[in-house]
Structure formats: C-alpha cells, structure tokens
Amino acid sequence: MDDELLLLQEKLHIVAERLSNFAPTKQNAEALRAEYRQLLSALKRFTPAA
C-alpha cells in the first residue's frame, strides 16, 4: 500500500504543479487532462467499493 500511496502523492504533485504553471495552450491542456486522468485512476484504488 505504501507504493500506491507514493504513486498517488506523485500524481497529485504533478497535477498541482501543472495547474500552478498553466498556460492556456492545447498541448498544456491535453497534458493536464492526461495527468488528471492518471490521478483519478490512482484515487480509485483508495475509494471503498459501494
């Protein structure tokens, strides 16, 4: 679980960094979307099943 937590922390950091340095271009938006999807995927591992 520690590895998953580190992965989640890394993805969150990447998304936060992209948002803080965001320049509105198509390439930046696509990169942010890709990183955000990876973050959401990592977060799903920590969400209890209903």
Side-chain angles (χ1 to χ4, degrees), residues 4-21:
E4 290 179 358
L5 190 56
L6 287 173
L7 176 65
L8 178 61
Q9 187 177 25
E10 177 186 332
K11 295 300 177 188
L12 182 58
H13 177 74
I14 290 170
V15 169
E17 189 173 325
R18 283 199 184 274
L19 284 172
S20 67
N21 298 316

Side-chain angles (χ1 to χ4, degrees), residues 17-49:
E17 189 173 325
R18 283 199 184 274
L19 284 172
S20 67
N21 298 316
F22 189 73
T25 65
K26 182 178 180 180
Q27 183 179 9
N28 287 344
E30 289 172 347
L32 177 60
R33 183 181 69 193
E35 293 294 346
Y36 188 67
R37 284 184 174 175
Q38 290 179 16
L39 173 61
L40 289 177
S41 178
L43 278 171
K44 285 181 181 179
R45 296 181 194 141
F46 289 94
T47 304

